[in-house]
Amino acid sequence: MKDFKSERSSTDDTQPSDYPQRPLRKKLATVSFGGSPASMQAMWSDWAVHFAMAPDLQLDMVKSASESWLQWARYVSMGCPDDPDLKPTEPAKTDRRFRSDGWRQPPFAAMAQGFLLFEDLADQATRNVPGLEPSKKDSVAFVTRQILDAMAPSNFPVTNPDVLARTLATGGANIHHGLERAFRDIKDGPHPAGNSQVGKTVATTPGKVVYRNHLIELIQYEPTTDTVHPEPVLIVPAWIMKYYILDLSPENSLVRYLTAQGFTVFMISWRNPTAEDAHYGMQDYLDLGPRAALDVIEGQTGAKKIHSAGYCLGGTLLSIAAAAMARDGDDRLASMTLFAAQTDFSEPGELSLFINESQVSFLEDVMHEQGYLDASQMMSAFQMLRSNDLIWSQMVRKYLLGEDDAPMNDLMAWNADTTRMPARMHSEYLRHMFLNNDLAAGRYHVDGHHVSLRDIRLPVFAVGTETDHIAPCTSVFKIHALGHADVTFALTNGGHNAGVLSEPGHKHRHYRIHTVRDKDKALSPEDWMEMAHVQDGSWWPAWASWLADNSGAKGKPPKMGKALADAPGTYVFQE
């Protein structure tokens, strides 16, 4: 009989030491910045064949193009009137490229309208092809959008009215200043301006590092109330960025808020790995991360139950730890909270456009050559998801308009404080989560045996954000169907980071919240939206109340552990 375990197992991954030696391919992968030419070629070929076999679509496009360009010609012949009823099309509400008054005047209005019509035609050609797999449609549409974003008239000085006006007003000083800055950034890298300093203006909540191993420092925060709940809270942040996203400035620090509500808080601070750490894998991050932290917290505080919370990748790792604990009869967890964290990767959003077998294989060659995945290689993928806002508009502002960077706020400073990821760990994460979806399918292995999220019977609190392009809320919502647990789901406005940083008093915040108990009938995301009414303000108080409801009566705070260093520790400063 065929061995089932041999098909999908997290214990037989290729080790860095016996990784296939492909020196020429590694050089090619480095030259292509980790992008797979084979994946790109296969995508375009598949689209071209299906498009050629769709004469009805081609005729519809010809008809649509003819009607659109006739409207455009009539609009131009009328002198490009600033009347929405006479314009052939309008940009999306999120498209800020053509908002200034200069784009309302000819010939720039004609350029903008022509470009937007061409974008609509390209979208029709990529998304409406019959027979093409949805993933291929999304990939072709994404790449086409990147090409068109680069070709937008707003990106060139002679076709951007704002750049022309600035050039005339300054006698060309903006172009001179922009070129100087471009050459400096190419030579030395960008130097964003900011006043945030770790340990001084951000990550300032008082605490001590009470444990350290090769991958983590464990921070215990000092109590700020006379009494605390007996269950400590362990927070597992993502290792893709520095931990202090959850301890930014005092006014928006989730850690500081929790301690003020009478909770004892512990935080994992991950090491910034180097090439020497290439062999560390997911099992190492599990053993030296949440598993080690739980042992320390239990031994130090004597707590019989511990609340756990994980953010993004940290939430995925926490769910693995919880499933393994449930499998092994370890009942130390009082609850599990997931901030914008995926456990089912069947619909992971636009990031899936970068992840297929060909692409991951090429990326593995890059990581094996370096020993890690560099932060700049990760950030480029995230920026491409919002290229207009994060790439092209920034280039226009800095290099064509010659504007200096505005001082960064605390969130922007944190976002620029990047980390690396070990080659083996990231390869395993991509393969077992994004490619194979092993965790949701019950195929993921810990300690040589599979774990299942269905074994988790803890109270679960999950947070999704409305405009998350990294962990879409519909993907985070899938936790409802994966375990035997009562799930309280909160959907808040904002993105992957801003939605989580939703402190009380933050303007323009709202959220929905609803609990689906294990005995209840399943709800689709659409049905859930109908039942969960919008509430103004921050979701933090709702979560704190939920934690309190799942905690014991307050008593004397536990003693602080033996200090190895003051918070924020030493790992957070590693470059």
Side-chain angles (χ1 to χ4, degrees), residues 51-111:
F51 183 79
M53 296 174 62
D56 295 331
L57 173 61
Q58 296 172 29
L59 290 174
D60 288 344
M61 289 186 61
V62 169
K63 180 181 177 181
S64 178
S66 299
E67 292 175 351
S68 296
W69 294 119
L70 283 174
Q71 291 179 349
W72 180 82
R74 187 180 306 113
Y75 170 75
V76 173
S77 67
M78 296 172 64
C80 302
D82 188 20
D83 185 343
D85 295 331
L86 298 177
K87 291 181 179 180
T89 186
E90 286 287 347
K93 292 182 179 180
T94 56
D95 190 346
R96 303 177 181 179
R97 293 173 294 183
F98 310 116
R99 287 188 176 180
S100 69
D101 292 339
W103 290 105
R104 300 175 183 175
Q105 306 298 324
F108 305 106
M111 294 179 190

Side-chain angles (χ1 to χ4, degrees), residues 228-232 262 264 301-306 551-556 558:
V228 299
H229 291 286
E231 298 84 2
T264 301
T301 66
K304 298 183 181 298
K305 293 286 186 177
I306 301 169
S551 301
K554 291 182 178 180
K556 186 178 180 180

Side-chain angles (χ1 to χ4, degrees), residues 505-536:
H506 194 125
K507 294 181 179 179
H508 311 301
R509 288 300 186 203
H510 64 259
Y511 69 99
R512 300 170 185 261
I513 191 169
H514 180 70
T515 298
V516 178
R517 305 198 179 278
D518 185 34
K519 64 181 181 180
D520 295 342
K521 293 182 180 180
L523 293 178
S524 69
E526 294 76 18
D527 292 336
W528 185 93
M529 287 287 287
E530 292 182 2
M531 300 186 68
H533 300 294
V534 176
Q535 302 184 45
D536 291 331

Side-chain angles (χ1 to χ4, degrees), residues 216-402:
I216 73 165
E217 288 184 329
L218 183 64
I219 302 171
Q220 179 183 5
Y221 292 95
E222 296 177 1
T224 59
T225 56
D226 294 334
T227 59
V228 299
H229 291 286
E231 298 84 2
V233 180
L234 168 63
I235 301 179
V236 184
W239 52 86
I240 195 172
M241 285 287 188
K242 300 293 179 67
Y243 85 87
Y244 62 89
I245 177 67
L246 299 173
D247 184 27
L248 281 176
S249 302
E251 63 271 15
N252 61 3
S253 167
L254 181 59
V255 170
R256 192 178 292 264
Y257 177 79
L258 279 179
T259 58
Q261 306 310 306
F263 291 98
T264 301
V265 180
F266 289 81
M267 174 79 77
I268 286 177
S269 174
W270 295 100
R271 180 187 187 89
N272 194 6
T274 65
E276 296 179 352
D277 303 312
H279 62 285
Y280 282 91
M282 286 289 289
Q283 179 79 42
D284 299 302
Y285 270 69
L286 177 65
D287 292 340
L288 299 178
R291 280 180 160 179
L294 287 170
D295 290 342
V296 172
I297 295 171
E298 180 189 23
Q300 179 180 303
T301 66
K304 298 183 181 298
K305 293 286 186 177
I306 301 169
H307 291 300
S308 60
Y311 187 11
C312 190
L313 279 69
T316 305
L317 187 67
L318 175 61
S319 66
I320 294 172
M325 293 172 72
R327 178 199 64 187
D328 299 338
D330 186 342
D331 63 352
R332 287 178 294 172
L333 292 185
S335 71
M336 181 175 71
T337 298
L338 304 176
F339 304 141
Q342 300 178 92
T343 48
D344 183 328
F345 289 76
S346 57
E347 296 177 309
E350 286 192 312
L351 276 180
S352 63
L353 304 177
F354 300 95
I355 303 173
N356 52 53
E357 180 60 42
S358 177
Q359 181 59 58
V360 170
S361 177
F362 236 63
L363 190 60
E364 285 173 337
D365 286 318
V366 173
M367 292 191 297
H368 187 246
E369 186 77 1
Q370 298 174 167
Y372 55 80
L373 184 66
D374 189 71
S376 61
Q377 294 165 314
M378 292 183 288
M379 294 305 297
S380 62
F382 294 144
Q383 288 177 334
M384 288 175 68
L385 297 177
R386 296 171 54 201
S387 59
N388 277 335
D389 293 333
L390 300 180
I391 299 177
W392 300 113
S393 66
Q394 300 298 319
M395 293 183 67
V396 169
R397 183 180 59 79
K398 293 191 295 185
Y399 305 139
L400 298 184
L401 293 174

